[in-house]
Amino acid sequence: MNLNDLTPLMKRRQDGGFGFERFRADPALTGLLWPDDVLRDFLFEHGDYGPFVADYGHVDLSTITWTLETIPTADFHAMPTGESEAGLIEHFAQHPVHWVTVRPPQMGQHWKDHGTWLRSPLLIDRRLLNPADSGLQVLEGRTRVGVLRGRLREQLYVAPEHLAWVGRT
């Protein structure tokens, strides 16, 4: 199963305007035993977003297992995102304070208190991509990773490790 196989579900979501609970219960997704956070951020929010489909449309979704992992800050320094949105992480990194202040206040407070994001981003093992490569790639959460890089550059508090959902086979 890949993103293109879910086109009818995405169309029903758009046409019917139904929420996440109904989306999650759709029979098309019964084979995916994914955490709600991943299902929401990956498929519900981005499953029909053009650049996202261009980058990840070929990925066999049914082979991915998601785990919440602790990732060292250093691993995020050069972690890429999808080719169609290359440079977007650095765009967010240029003004990390701005990107936090335009979000709900608890996000900014969480960065100040804990040096990390409030919600874990999604990373994918690059061996699942075409062409395959090594390491991890930011699938969803480019703003969060950009804020992390920008905070480091501006010498603002950043925790030594961060939680992220990681998709692997």
Side-chain angles (χ1 to χ4, degrees):
M1 170 192 337
N2 62 34
L3 289 174
N4 292 326
D5 295 330
L6 297 175
T7 300
L9 171 60
M10 297 303 165
K11 181 91 173 103
R12 286 193 306 275
R13 177 184 57 83
Q14 291 171 357
D15 291 347
F18 56 83
F20 176 70
E21 292 301 319
R22 186 166 165 205
F23 178 85
R24 180 181 66 175
D26 193 280
L29 300 177
T30 56
L32 295 180
L33 304 175
W34 291 8
D36 282 353
D37 288 346
V38 175
L39 195 61
R40 182 181 298 107
D41 288 352
F42 190 152
L43 299 181
F44 184 72
E45 297 290 336
H46 295 92
D48 56 356
Y49 175 59
F52 197 78
V53 174
D55 291 338
Y56 305 107
H58 67 280
V59 174
D60 185 352
L61 305 175
S62 63
T63 65
I64 302 174
T65 300
W66 294 93
T67 56
L68 193 58
E69 298 182 16
T70 301
I71 309 292
T73 295
D75 289 5
F76 289 99
H77 289 295
M79 191 180 293
T81 192
E83 187 177 313
S84 68
E85 296 196 326
L88 193 56
I89 292 173
E90 281 308 311
H91 168 76
F92 295 125
Q94 290 174 5
H95 304 288
V97 173
H98 166 76
W99 293 109
V100 169
T101 58
V102 297
R103 302 291 198 264
Q106 63 267 30
M107 288 184 183
Q109 192 61 49
H110 197 80
W111 274 105
K112 286 178 185 174
D113 295 345
H114 303 282
T116 192
W117 35 70
L118 193 55
R119 284 186 38 240
S120 299
L122 309 183
L123 312 178
I124 193 164
D125 186 327
R126 297 184 77 205
R127 291 178 292 182
L128 296 169
L129 305 178
N130 187 8
D133 205 346
S134 61
L136 297 173
Q137 179 165 307
V138 179
L139 181 84
E140 203 287 317
R142 294 170 298 275
T143 305
R144 285 166 267 183
V145 174
V147 166
L148 181 143
R149 289 183 190 173
R151 288 179 66 86
L152 283 169
R153 194 170 18 246
E154 294 183 8
Q155 299 181 346
L156 299 170
Y157 174 56
V158 174
E161 299 175 323
H162 309 271
L163 290 176
W165 287 105
V166 179
R168 304 179 193 277
T169 55

